[in-house]
Amino acid sequence: MLISMNWIGDFVDLSGLDLEALIRRFTLSTAEVEDIFHMGEDLKDVVAGKILSVEAHPDSKKLHLLKVDGGDRVYDVVCGAPNVREGLIVPFVKEGGRVAGMDIRCAKIAGYESHGMCCSEHELGISADHSGLMELPGDTPVGMDITELYAIRDIVFEVDNKSLTNRPDLWGHYGIAREFSALTGRGLKPLETVELSRFDSLPPIDIQILDKELCYRYTGLKVRNIQKKVSPVDMRIRLFYCGTRAINLLADLTNYLMLEMGQPMHAFDCAKVDCIEVKRFDAPFSFQTLDGTERRIDENTLMICSKGNPVAVAGIMGGLDSEIEDDTDSLLLESANFDAVSVRKSSTRLGLRTDASMRYEKTLDPEMTVPAIGRFLKLLLDIDPEAQVISRLTDVYERHYPEITLSFDKHYVDRYTGIDIENEQILQTLNSLGFCTRYEDGVFQVKVPSWRATKDVTIKADIIEEITRIYGYDNFRISTTHSALVPEKKSAGNKSDNFAKDILVQRYHLHEVNSYIWFDAKKCRELGMETEQNVRLLNAQTPDHEILRNNMGPTLLVFLNENKTFSPDFGIFEIARVAEGLKENGECNERKKLGIALYSRQKSEKELYFELLGMLKTLGRDIKRAGFTFANTAPLHSWQHPRNTASVTCGGKTLGWLCTVHPSVLGKLDKKAAVAVAQLDMDEFAAIPAADPVYREPSKFPGIDIDLSVVLPEGKKFADLEPAWTGMQQDLLAGVSLIDSFELAGARSVTLRFAFSSQEKTLSKDEVQPYVDKIVESWKSLGVILRG
C-alpha cells in the first residue's frame, strides 16, 4: 500500500520533522516499510507557460511551431500535441530545465529549433494521461513554478500489506496519520465532515438487509444536480501517487475516501439504482462486473440488488449496468460493512480481488460508514457547491461489535516490559492512539476504540504491545532474563520420525519433499490416476485441489514425474498427513504416514522393489528393534501393481504397504524406468514398544557362509522358513539374509545365505554342516525342496 506524506500532513503537523527518519521509525513501531519514493524531485524550471501563437509546421502534419511566454521571455517551441491552441496555458519546461528524467536543451526538430517543452500530465509524472498537453486554468499566473501551483513534490512510502493483516484501521491515510500523531506527540486533526442530521427531514432510502448474517451495516444517501465531472488536480495527483487511476469526479471521490479512511464506498447512478436489497440468491447466475467480465455468482455470494436485480457484488465490485458515467448527475452513495470471511471467500471463488475486498477481509469497523458519508459529502460540496442532497441519511445497523474495556495496574506493565514507564507516558500513548484511558486508585481503565475492537485488541497483553511499540523497542535496556529453561521432552512419535528421516537421508541418500494434504487432480490425471473419493475441502481455490488425499502414493508419484529429468536414479520420502475418511464424531480422521518412492532407469523393477523392502526392514530393526513381515495382498488403490503389492506388518499389526506401479501409470510416468512405492503408518509404528538392544561382539576369527536355494510350495512364504533356524542365532549362526528370489512356471525359488562364526576359533564346513542339515530337515515337513 502506498502512503503520501502530503496526505498525512492534512491531519498531523509534520513541519520541521525529518520525514524519512519518521518513516523509518514507523517501520520499527507499526508496520514494515518496503520503499520510499521522492515524487516530483526531478522537476526543474517547469512553469505555467502561455501559448501566444500556433503555426502549422510546413513539412509535418502533426507538428506545430509555437511562441510560448515563460514569464521571463518568449520561447520558440516545436510541439506535436493534438490539443495545442492559441491562448492555452500549459506546464512548460524552459531550456535548461528538467522533466521526466530528461534535461531539456535547445534541439532542432524537423528543421526548427525548440527551446523548451510543453508537457502532458504523464510527462510531469502526475498521471498516466499522455493524450495531450495538460491544460491549466485560464487565470493561472504565467511564469509561476508548477510545484507552487500543485502539490507535485511529495514523499510516498510503500507499506508491506502483510504487516497490516491484523490492523484494519491502517488501511487508510487517516489511520496511518493517527500512528504518526502518537509517534511525534503532535495532535491528530479531526476529519472535516458535513453534519448529516440537517437532512433528517428528507425522505429515506428504501434499504433492506435480507441477509443479516453477512451484512452488518448499510448506510446510504442520495445526491443530485452534480455538475462537475473532473476531479481537482491535487486529488488526481494523490490518487495517482497511491496507485489509483483517475476516472471521473464521483468514482474518484469513492476511491479517495477509501484511501483516506480505509472505508470502501460505492456510488450508484441514481437513475439506475433507486432502492437497495442486500441478499443471496437461491440459484447461480451470470453477472457482469465493472471490469466488463462475465462472472458466475453462486448461492453463497452476497449481492447488492435494486428491485430484485443484482447491481453489485457486496464488498468486491459493482455491476457494469449501474456504473457512474460521465453524464451522471445524481447518485446513491453506499457505505457499508460486510462479514470479512464472506467477502474473502467470495473474492476467491470469483477470482476477483479488489482494493475494497482487501479491506473488508481485514474486518473493518462498522462505525466508519456514517463518518465516511459525511466526509464524502464535505469533499463533494467543496468541489461542486451546487450539488443537492435529496434523501435523509438512511442507516440500517444490524450487528454491533461489543465494547471492550480492559483494566490493569502499573505492576502489570512493569512486569511485562521489564522497564519503568511513567504513568503519564502510558496515558498519553494510549490516548493518542484513540483509547479512552483513565487512571484511578492505581488502576488503568482502558476502553478500546471501535476501529481496534473488531479483532485486534482483545486482551491486556495487546495493550502492553501498544505502549511498548510507541515507547520504542530500540529504547529498551538490554538485560538477561531470569527464566527456568526446561527442555521439551520428545514424544515417541517425534523420535520415530526423526530416526526415520536420519536413516533415509544419511544411509540411503533419499531426498525429503514437502507437499499439501490434498490430491492434485490435474497432475494425477496426467499420470492416469483418478483421485479417489474422500473428504473434500470447502471453498478450495481450485476444483483440482478439493479432495484430501487418503494415501501418500499419488503425491510421491507426481514428485517423481516432475523431477525425473534431473537424475536417472533417485529416491524421495515425506512424513505427512493423510485423511482416512471421517471419525464417528464427524471430524476428519487424520493419520501421519511415511511415504517412500524410488525411481531408477538403471535398476530393474525387482531390484528396486527389494531395495525398498530392505529400507523398511532397516527402519523396523534400527528404530524399534522389531522385524517387519511382508505378504502379498490385493492392491488397495488402482495405481498399484495388481501382483507386486505387499502388506507390511509387525507383531500382527498392519503398518502399511509396499508395491510397484501399475503398468498403465508407469507408462505415462516413464516407460524405461522402474518405480517402487511404500507407505508406513507412523502413528502405529510409534506405538510399537521398542525392544532392548542386544549387542554381540564381532568375532575376530573368519566366518563361513552357506547358501541354500530352495523351491517353496504354493502358499508358502519366506516367513514360514524362519522357525527352522530360530534359536540357532544364540550359538554359531550369526545371521540370515535373502540373496535372490524368482518365480518360474508358478514355482517360487529363494536363495538364503547363512552366516556362521565363532568367538573362539575359525570354523570349518564340517562343524557347521549339522546346523545346515537340521535346517533342511525341518523344511521337509513344509514341503520345501532343496535345489541342487
Side-chain angles (χ1 to χ4, degrees):
M1 186 171 66
L2 296 168
I3 300 297
S4 159
M5 290 302 286
N6 282 351
W7 208 334
I8 297 294
D10 287 353
F11 311 117
V12 181
D13 180 11
L14 301 177
S15 58
L17 298 176
D18 182 340
L19 298 187
E20 288 204 32
L22 185 58
I23 292 170
R24 287 193 292 270
R25 188 178 172 193
F26 179 84
T27 290
L28 295 175
S29 67
T30 309
E32 180 183 352
V33 174
E34 294 187 325
D35 210 346
I36 300 176
F37 309 96
H38 294 268
M39 313 303 291
E41 278 200 346
D42 64 339
L43 297 182
K44 176 186 175 185
D45 285 341
V46 184
V47 301
K50 185 173 184 177
I51 300 175
L52 302 178
S53 66
V54 179
E55 294 181 16
H57 192 290
D59 301 322
S60 173
K61 294 182 179 180
K62 293 184 178 180
L63 297 178
H64 297 86
L65 306 178
L66 312 182
K67 297 285 187 182
V68 180
D69 182 1
D72 54 348
R73 66 184 180 89
V74 176
Y75 295 81
D76 292 319
V77 178
V78 181
C79 180
N83 63 330
V84 63
R85 63 183 183 272
E86 187 176 314
L88 185 65
I89 298 180
V90 298
F92 175 67
V93 191
K94 300 177 183 179
E95 182 180 351
R98 183 176 177 81
V99 70
M102 301 183 297
D103 291 321
I104 305 302
R105 306 185 186 280
C106 177
K108 185 168 285 190
I109 302 174
Y112 288 83
E113 286 188 351
S114 183
H115 296 272
M117 175 180 170
C118 298
C119 299
S120 67
E121 291 185 1
H122 175 68
E123 287 159 337
L124 291 177
I126 61 174
S127 89
D129 183 9
H130 53 82
S131 59
L133 299 179
M134 180 182 181
E135 300 186 12
L136 303 181
D139 59 352
T140 304
V142 174
M144 178 173 284
D145 194 289
I146 196 73
T147 59
E148 295 179 14
L149 289 170
Y150 303 113
I152 295 177
R153 287 204 169 98
D154 194 359
I155 295 178
V156 174
F157 63 94
E158 184 176 8
V159 181
D160 175 24
N161 286 354
K162 295 188 294 297
S163 62
L164 301 179
T165 299
N166 68 319
R167 291 291 303 273
D169 61 306
L170 296 185
W171 283 78
H173 279 73
Y174 195 69
I176 301 285
R178 186 182 292 111
E179 294 290 310
F180 281 119
S181 170
L183 292 172
T184 60
R186 299 186 177 185
L188 178 69
K189 301 173 186 177
L191 282 167
E192 294 184 18
T193 62
V194 169
E195 178 53 56
L196 298 172
S197 60
R198 72 192 205 196
F199 308 115
D200 286 351
S201 61
L202 298 174
I205 305 171
D206 181 10
I207 297 177
Q208 299 180 52
I209 298 179
L210 304 180
D211 195 325
K212 296 177 173 55
E213 293 181 5
L214 303 185
C215 182
Y216 298 165
R217 190 175 192 180
Y218 200 101
T219 310
L221 189 77
K222 287 183 180 180
V223 184
R224 71 176 180 188
N225 196 39
I226 301 168
Q227 303 300 317
K228 299 292 179 66
K229 307 301 179 184
V230 180
S231 306
V233 174
D234 281 338
M235 178 177 287
R236 300 204 308 271
I237 291 174
R238 285 186 179 181
L239 290 173
F240 182 71
Y241 283 178
C242 294
T244 300
R245 176 177 61 93
I247 303 170
N248 55 51
L249 174 61
L250 298 180
D252 292 351
L253 277 173
T254 59
N255 288 330
Y256 190 88
L257 262 295
M258 179 177 66
L259 294 176
E260 183 174 81
M261 297 183 64
Q263 172 64 44
M265 305 179 77
H266 191 74
F268 296 104
D269 188 331
C270 215
K272 303 172 184 177
V273 178
D274 186 58
C275 59
I276 295 292
E277 303 108 31
V278 187
K279 66 177 183 178
R280 286 177 282 185
F281 285 81
D282 295 332
F285 62 94
S286 294
F287 179 72
Q288 195 170 24
T289 47
L290 275 173
D291 57 1
T293 303
E294 197 80 20
R295 303 184 186 277
R296 186 162 180 79
I297 305 298
D298 65 14
E299 56 273 19
N300 295 314
T301 303
L302 189 67
M303 299 296 293
I304 309 301
C305 305
S306 179
K307 298 179 181 177
N309 298 315
V311 294
V313 185
I316 301 176
M317 184 177 281
L320 190 62
D321 292 340
S322 61
E323 72 171 326
I324 294 292
E325 298 176 340
D326 291 340
D327 60 349
T328 299
D329 63 355
S330 63
L331 66 88
L332 190 159
L333 183 63
E334 166 204 284
S335 181
N337 188 274
F338 304 106
D339 176 69
V341 175
S342 170
V343 172
R344 177 178 57 80
K345 290 182 176 180
S346 295
S347 177
T348 300
R349 285 194 302 271
L350 294 172
L352 179 62
R353 200 152 188 257
T354 62
D355 288 333
S357 69
M358 281 194 294
R359 286 165 171 79
Y360 279 122
E361 288 173 13
K362 307 304 182 290
T363 316
L364 293 180
D365 175 18
E367 297 295 325
M368 283 201 301
T369 64
V370 173
I373 286 185
R375 178 64 174 166
F376 180 99
L377 196 57
K378 174 68 169 65
L379 295 175
L380 175 62
L381 294 176
D382 285 348
I383 298 167
D384 191 352
E386 301 303 315
Q388 299 174 354
V389 177
I390 57 172
S391 80
R392 64 180 297 174
L393 178 77
T394 306
D395 182 25
V396 183
Y397 201 164
E398 293 292 345
R399 173 174 172 178
H400 296 256
Y401 282 94
E403 289 187 356
I404 298 176
T405 301
L406 304 170
S407 61
F408 54 90
D409 58 16
K410 180 67 163 53
H411 175 70
Y412 180 83
V413 178
D414 293 345
R415 182 164 60 87
Y416 261 80
T417 62
I419 55 177
D420 182 14
I421 302 177
E422 297 293 333
N423 290 348
E424 189 58 38
Q425 188 168 358
I426 293 173
L427 288 168
Q428 180 181 344
T429 298
L430 294 177
N431 287 330
S432 67
L433 291 172
F435 294 83
C436 182
T437 310
R438 292 183 295 109
Y439 181 68
E440 295 179 356
D441 301 326
V443 176
F444 292 95
Q445 295 286 344
V446 178
K447 180 181 177 183
V448 180
S450 61
W451 59 85
R452 301 294 300 277
T454 56
K455 68 172 184 178
D456 182 21
V457 177
T458 57
I459 58 177
K460 292 189 291 183
D462 295 330
I463 298 293
I464 300 299
E465 181 183 358
E466 297 302 302
I467 297 169
T468 52
R469 69 183 182 84
I470 300 300
Y471 178 82
Y473 297 123
D474 50 338
N475 293 326
F476 276 53
R477 179 172 51 86
I478 299 175
S479 61
T480 303
T481 60
H482 299 279
S483 304
L485 300 179
V486 180
E488 182 181 355
K489 187 176 181 180
K490 292 186 177 180
S491 66
N494 294 139
K495 292 180 179 178
S496 297
D497 294 350
N498 292 335
F499 286 157
K501 290 180 181 181
D502 289 343
I503 291 170
L504 294 174
V505 172
Q506 296 174 9
R507 192 174 308 178
Y508 293 106
H509 310 294
L510 301 191
H511 303 275
E512 185 177 9
V513 297
N514 292 282
S515 64
Y516 294 109
I517 196 173
W518 51 75
F519 286 120
D520 191 319
K522 180 181 179 182
K523 293 179 179 179
C524 288
R525 285 194 299 271
E526 292 173 358
L527 292 177
M529 298 184 294
E530 290 299 324
T531 51
E532 302 170 16
Q533 293 303 312
N534 197 23
V535 181
R536 291 176 178 266
L537 286 173
L538 293 176
N539 302 314
Q541 290 190 346
T542 166
D544 288 332
H545 296 165
E546 67 179 359
I547 300 178
L548 298 187
R549 66 186 175 198
N550 57 9
N551 73 97
M552 295 294 296
T555 298
L556 297 177
L557 291 175
V558 167
F559 274 126
L560 292 184
N561 187 47
E562 292 176 339
N563 293 277
K564 63 188 178 185
T565 58
F566 294 104
S567 174
D569 192 295
F570 66 95
I572 60 175
F573 75 93
E574 181 180 15
I575 298 177
R577 298 282 177 177
V578 304
E580 296 182 344
L582 298 175
K583 299 177 183 178
E584 293 182 358
N585 60 5
E587 294 179 354
C588 189
N589 182 23
E590 288 191 43
R591 303 290 297 178
K592 184 168 62 175
K593 305 285 186 177
L594 164 63
I596 307 174
L598 305 182
Y599 169 92
S600 179
R601 304 192 93 200
Q602 301 169 341
K603 300 173 185 174
S604 67
E605 191 171 73
K606 179 179 177 180
E607 289 176 312
L608 211 61
Y609 183 89
F610 281 106
E611 183 179 330
L612 185 51
L613 184 146
M615 291 181 188
L616 296 176
K617 295 189 73 170
T618 300
L619 293 176
R621 182 185 67 242
D622 289 9
I623 298 175
K624 295 294 185 180
R625 290 166 292 280
F628 285 171
T629 57
F630 305 86
N632 278 352
T633 186
L636 302 173
H637 310 286
S638 61
W639 56 268
Q640 292 178 315
H641 197 284
R643 295 187 61 188
N644 299 332
T645 299
S647 62
V648 183
T649 61
C650 181
K653 182 176 292 186
T654 301
L655 299 182
W657 44 256
L658 162 71
C659 70
T660 57
V661 179
H662 195 286
S664 64
V665 176
L666 186 61
K668 293 181 180 295
L669 197 155
D670 191 341
K671 294 179 180 179
K672 297 181 180 180
V675 173
V677 187
Q679 176 179 282
L680 284 184
D681 188 317
M682 295 304 287
D683 294 323
E684 294 284 0
F685 183 59
I688 298 174
D692 294 331
V694 177
Y695 300 97
R696 178 172 179 169
E697 182 182 353
S699 175
K700 62 183 177 181
F701 300 101
I704 185 171
D705 294 343
I706 304 293
D707 289 353
L708 296 179
S709 296
V710 296
V711 178
L712 301 180
E714 187 177 353
K716 297 299 181 181
K717 53 185 181 294
F718 176 79
D720 297 326
L721 304 179
E722 290 184 306
W725 64 78
T726 302
M728 290 186 185
Q729 290 176 298
Q730 303 297 325
D731 198 357
L732 299 181
L733 183 61
V736 183
S737 57
L738 178 66
I739 301 302
D740 194 14
S741 173
F742 68 91
E743 288 189 20
L744 183 63
R748 173 175 292 180
S749 174
V750 297
T751 300
L752 304 177
R753 176 164 294 166
F754 294 84
F756 295 92
S757 68
S758 170
Q759 300 289 336
E760 300 173 353
K761 60 181 180 178
T762 301
L763 296 176
S764 66
K765 187 173 181 181
D766 291 338
E767 290 176 296
V768 302
Q769 190 62 43
Y771 293 96
V772 176
D773 293 341
K774 183 178 179 182
I775 292 170
V776 173
E777 185 65 29
S778 66
W779 283 346
K780 289 182 180 180
S781 61
L782 300 176
V784 176
I785 301 173
L786 186 67
R787 286 198 293 124

